[in-house]
Amino acid sequence: MTVLNDPATLDSTVRKAVADATVTDIHTHLFPPSHGNLLLWNVDEMLTYHYLTAELFTMAPSGLTPADFRKMPKCRQADLVWEHVFLRRGALSEAARGVVTTLNKLGLDIGGRDLAGIRKWFAQQKTESYLVKVFELAGLDYAVMTNDPFQVAEVEHWRAGRPPHDLLKPALRIDALVADWPAAAGMMTAAGYETAAKLEADSFDEARSFKEARRFLADWAKKIKPVYLAMSLPSDFTYPTDQPRGRVLSNVIIPAARELGLPIAMMIGTRRRANPALGDGGDAVGVADVLAVQNLCAENPDIKFLVTMLSRVNQHELCVCARKFGNLHLFGCWWFCNTPSIIEEMTKMRLELLGANFTANHSDARVLDLLISKWSHTRDIVADVLADKYGLLFQAGWRPTDDEVRRGARNLLGGAYEEFMAK
Ligand code: RAT
Ligand code: ZN
């Protein structure tokens, strides 16, 4: 242990600690190679990532509709994004810069703009070794997946009962239960659970349906061994509420989390399908109600909640809420907040209000390769913010040690999450 006695050494130690810290990525949409084409990777997948296709339609050639676009082969779609977003508009958005950073860190000549050459390189990669390479370049120990038992394509792969992957941990994603009970009930019924499509408060049928839904979750938890239950919630989500989704939460999800000893991850603030034609890229953001989080945490002190919110407007109130509840852990700069200016502001604010007791970011990567840029960009910002905070602390008279600095960096990048999950 070394005491850092001068500001310049402190600054370089902080930056090195962040650069060297192992990252735990607590929310992604990646799958193991055994899930076949559900694991997306390569340059065409990056270029057609929904953040970029949504951007394309803000500048697309007139006459091109999302429906026409979807019918095109992937490489043609990628060509259009390349031409319009990169070549014509100069790749200035965060999503576009992400592709540039990733290709550059893979050692490819992105400066030369040789898309054909880059495609050739990708065609020579093998999925399993490429996955390991990406995790190494991003500096990750593991990533948490999103595993949805209401997605038929995913269910098939779990049925095969293949061994888990060392780099990917499961999370049981259960949006359908709260977002579309009739559809979820239909699927549970088809799988042998007695769930009625229509929920009627306090009825015998509803009580039986909820019991069966809990059995469904318990069976899935046994099958995939998730690290948490997860759901995204719309910006108009409130709690408590008499709406069916409130009853599902109180009677299915919370008791299941309790019985199974699993935390609940909530991502709150979407306005799904604002422009349905854009598919995954068509969702928007709305300011949500932090009181719902407060009520859930207060009512269920024995349950751990991992929470992130989509609207920038909610971040301060959410931080204050996290100061009040030891069972609430804040994570990530979600989706539209995952841009440098907002990551910087959120990380500063969270540090000031919570100390190093939150998870600064998650990648949300749907395309494997983008782990590299998402974490490279986040590390740069976390390094600046932490260096600044340690600098101020030094001026105030504290003399940090190198161990302390390394711990601080790791805490923001997964250490605080691990501690929260273990407590
Ligand atoms: O960030 C995204 O890619 C979004 O489309 C969603 O996946 C969101 O993160 C979610 O998990 O619902
Ligand atoms: Zn996500």
Side-chain angles (χ1 to χ4, degrees), residues 27-29 51 146 173 232 267 272 334-335 362-366:
H27 170 58
T28 73
H29 295 264
Y51 291 34
T146 296
R173 178 78 176 242
S232 71
M267 300 182 285
R272 295 280 183 202
W334 185 25
W335 201 344
H362 63 271
S363 75
D364 231 312
R366 281 169 183 267

Side-chain angles (χ1 to χ4, degrees), residues 10-25:
L10 173 60
D11 188 88
S12 59
T13 307
V14 174
R15 289 176 191 283
K16 185 163 176 357
V18 176
D20 294 348
T22 304
V23 167
T24 303
D25 192 343

Side-chain angles (χ1 to χ4, degrees), residues 98-109:
V99 178
V100 174
T101 300
T102 297
L103 294 172
N104 186 40
K105 293 212 178 264
L106 283 166
L108 299 166
D109 179 20

Side-chain angles (χ1 to χ4, degrees), residues 4 7-23 138-139 375 379-388 390 401-411 413:
L4 302 163
T9 314
L10 173 60
D11 188 88
S12 59
T13 307
V14 174
R15 289 176 191 283
K16 185 163 176 357
V18 176
D20 294 348
T22 304
V23 167
W375 284 111
R379 275 187 208 265
D380 287 349
I381 299 160
V382 169
D384 285 345
V385 172
L386 262 188
D388 184 49
Y390 274 114
T401 68
D402 56 351
D403 280 356
E404 242 166 60
V405 165
R406 275 194 292 269
R407 232 178 11 251
R410 167 64 189 152
N411 276 346
L413 298 172

